[in-house]
């Protein structure tokens, strides 16, 4: 969708289990009777085998929470009344709903139904995708958000035994007897996992929504993995560092000759685009938020960057919440 690389924000985080968590490995088959029936995902990292938190699971967790926030404040009215206005105000779809003619289903599924002979153009894909799909992607749109796998540090892989075996049964709802099991499952209960979240070519309303999800993650309101309803999956998340980068920040100017990227401001992607492009992408035109904490430094290559650590890390996101509120109230 974007042939330019205008801004990028990276969040460095550390996740610690707050009780047992389980992210299931794909089919473990149960061939080896000495292994638990459900194993935690493992991979090779720094020359050793280790449990880890896959980026796909982390992204799924964050997306699901953004959808929940978006649905909570959503006010689209009826699709039948005005299709274009409906999509402009549509904050979230339901990607898990596969009823093929359901208006409340996922945007991605809609593309395969309505554009089955040829793929939608970039503009069609944007205009017919909800706000959350525009940020996290769907079958027709690339994601702006990327999550790395989260690994223990090298010393930790060697030093800490993080896993514990547990036993469970599934209870038959009618008879109250054991339906499946007993089975063993492997959980992770200790250790730290470090990873990064990257958003590229973001708008300020997108950062606002992501910020609300990160705040909830920090406040331990989001769980991950298997059996969340039974209390598994609780995690503590620390936001260690946030860095903001404008790769061509020193070179890009407004038509009046002022720099677009200035201290105390976060420039969303629409701040770099002309009116025609803004309309084509369906963005809001005033895509700048203010945050006194931001002081940019040259990277020596024509780019500008700012780093936030300590208690200030979520301030950038918080200052974008009013932009998200504008989208909630008036559409994008
Ligand atoms: Zn969608």
């Amino acid at each position: 969708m974007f042939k330019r690389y205008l801004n990028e924000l990276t969040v460095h985080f550390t996740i610690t289990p707050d009780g047992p968590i389980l992210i299931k490995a794909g089919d473990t088959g149960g061939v080896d009777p000495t292994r638990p029936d459900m194993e935690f995902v493992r991979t090779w990292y720094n020359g050793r085998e280790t449990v880890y938190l896959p980026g796909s699971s982390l992204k799924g967790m964050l997306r699901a929470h953004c959808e929940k926030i978006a649905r909570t404040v959503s006010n689209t009215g009826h699709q039948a009344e005005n299709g274009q206005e409906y999509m402009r105000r549509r904050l979230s779809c339901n990607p898990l709903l596969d009823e093929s003619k359901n208006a409340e289903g996922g945007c991605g599924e809609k593309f395969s139904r309505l554009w089955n002979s040829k793929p939608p153009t970039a503009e069609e894909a944007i205009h017919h995708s909800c706000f959350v799909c525009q940020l996290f992607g769907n079958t027709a749109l690339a994601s702006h958000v990327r999550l790395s796998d989260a690994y223990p540090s090298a010393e930790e892989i060697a030093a800490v035994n993080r896993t514990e075996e547990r036993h469970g049964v599934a209870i038959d709802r009618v008879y109250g007897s054991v339906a499946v099991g007993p089975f063993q499952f492997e959980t992770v209960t200790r250790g730290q996992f470090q990873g990064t979240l990257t958003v590229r070519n973001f708008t300020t309303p997108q950062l606002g929504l992501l910020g609300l999800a990160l705040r909830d993650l920090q406040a331990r309101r989001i769980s991950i993995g298997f059996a969340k309803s039974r209390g598994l999956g609780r995690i503590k998340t620390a936001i260690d560092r946030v860095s903001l980068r404008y790769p061509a920040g020193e070179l890009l100017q407004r038509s009046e000759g002022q720099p677009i990227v200035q201290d105390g401001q976060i420039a969303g992607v629409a701040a770099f685009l002309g009116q025609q492009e803004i309309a084509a992408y369906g963005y809001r035109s005033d895509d700048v938020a203010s945050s006194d904490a931001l002081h940019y430094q040259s990277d020596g290559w024509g780019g500008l960057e700012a780093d936030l650590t300590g208690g200030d890390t979520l301030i950038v996101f918080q200052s974008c919440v009013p932009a998200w509120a504008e989208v909630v109230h008036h559409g994008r």
Side-chain angles (χ1 to χ4, degrees):
M1 154 183 172
F2 269 96
K3 293 182 180 67
R4 281 177 285 170
Y5 171 18
L6 294 164
N7 61 24
E8 182 178 82
L9 183 140
T10 308
V11 179
H12 300 260
F13 59 83
T14 303
I15 289 178
T16 315
D18 185 21
I21 63 175
L22 169 56
I23 297 173
K24 286 193 284 180
D27 195 12
T28 45
V31 179
D32 179 353
T34 66
R35 304 293 307 164
D37 301 311
M38 284 188 241
E39 284 187 274
F40 207 96
V41 279
R42 280 186 165 68
T43 189
W44 285 84
Y45 184 65
N46 281 341
R48 283 172 187 272
E49 193 179 46
T50 178
V51 289
Y52 74 113
L53 310 179
S56 54
S57 303
L58 296 168
K59 188 177 169 193
M61 168 185 78
L62 204 64
R63 178 180 188 142
H65 197 74
C66 284
E67 285 169 358
K68 198 183 278 183
I69 294 171
R71 247 178 258 131
T72 306
V73 294
S74 182
N75 175 27
T76 46
H78 281 290
Q79 184 178 30
E81 284 168 14
N82 183 339
Q84 206 181 348
E85 175 67 8
Y86 176 86
M87 278 321 295
R88 220 172 59 74
R89 301 184 73 100
R90 187 131 162 85
L91 299 176
S92 173
C93 63
N94 185 353
L96 298 180
L97 206 66
D98 62 356
E99 297 160 48
S100 66
K101 289 186 179 63
N102 195 325
E104 293 302 315
C107 301
E109 163 270 318
K110 174 177 63 188
F111 290 122
S112 53
R113 193 175 79 241
L114 300 178
W115 280 268
N116 48 12
S117 53
K118 60 173 177 58
T121 64
E123 276 185 33
E124 284 172 332
I126 290 160
H127 283 281
H128 292 270
S129 289
C130 66
F131 187 87
V132 171
C133 277
Q134 287 195 337
L135 178 56
F136 284 93
N138 57 31
T139 51
L141 279 183
S143 176
H144 290 264
V145 178
R146 233 176 22 199
L147 273 130
S148 73
D149 295 334
Y151 297 106
S153 65
E155 312 83 71
E156 255 206 50
I157 292 177
V160 183
N161 176 20
R162 280 168 299 277
T163 58
E164 247 175 57
E165 212 167 286
R166 304 212 160 206
H167 299 271
V169 288
I171 301 295
D172 187 296
R173 282 178 199 185
V174 176
Y175 299 105
S177 54
V178 172
V180 183
F183 55 86
Q184 303 94 42
F185 55 94
E186 182 187 43
T187 62
V188 163
T189 55
R190 285 178 294 274
Q192 296 192 323
F193 297 85
Q194 286 161 347
T196 55
L197 156 80
T198 308
V199 209
R200 197 175 269 195
N201 288 338
F202 59 79
T203 66
T204 52
Q206 289 173 341
L207 283 200
L209 175 60
L210 270 179
L212 292 170
L214 291 174
R215 173 205 61 178
D216 287 348
L217 200 59
Q218 245 188 352
R220 305 192 199 179
R221 296 188 190 119
I222 313 180
S223 303
I224 191 167
F226 179 71
K228 291 190 279 285
S229 60
R230 282 189 273 150
L232 257 64
R234 290 210 297 258
I235 50 174
K236 290 184 255 186
T237 307
I239 310 291
D240 306 317
R241 185 158 69 88
V242 171
S243 55
L244 194 53
R245 238 170 75 69
Y246 293 91
E250 286 186 324
L251 311 172
L252 296 171
Q253 298 183 329
R254 293 180 207 284
S255 46
E256 320 85 81
Q258 292 167 307
I260 298 174
V261 184
Q262 298 181 27
D263 278 357
Q265 290 190 344
I266 304 146
V269 75
F272 300 90
L273 306 178
Q275 282 304 325
Q276 224 174 358
E277 277 178 300
I278 290 176
Y281 290 126
Y283 290 149
R284 299 179 64 86
S285 51
D286 187 22
D287 200 8
V288 175
S290 301
S291 176
D292 292 340
L294 282 171
H295 301 285
Y296 295 101
Q297 294 193 321
S298 168
D299 66 359
W301 298 89
L304 290 170
E305 48 192 25
D307 258 338
L308 296 165
T309 50
D312 278 352
T313 44
L314 286 188
I315 281 181
V316 180
F317 291 95
Q318 197 176 12
S319 56
C320 292
V321 171
W324 156 248
E326 277 292 306
V327 169
V328 170
H329 292 312
H330 306 294
R332 52 185 154 88

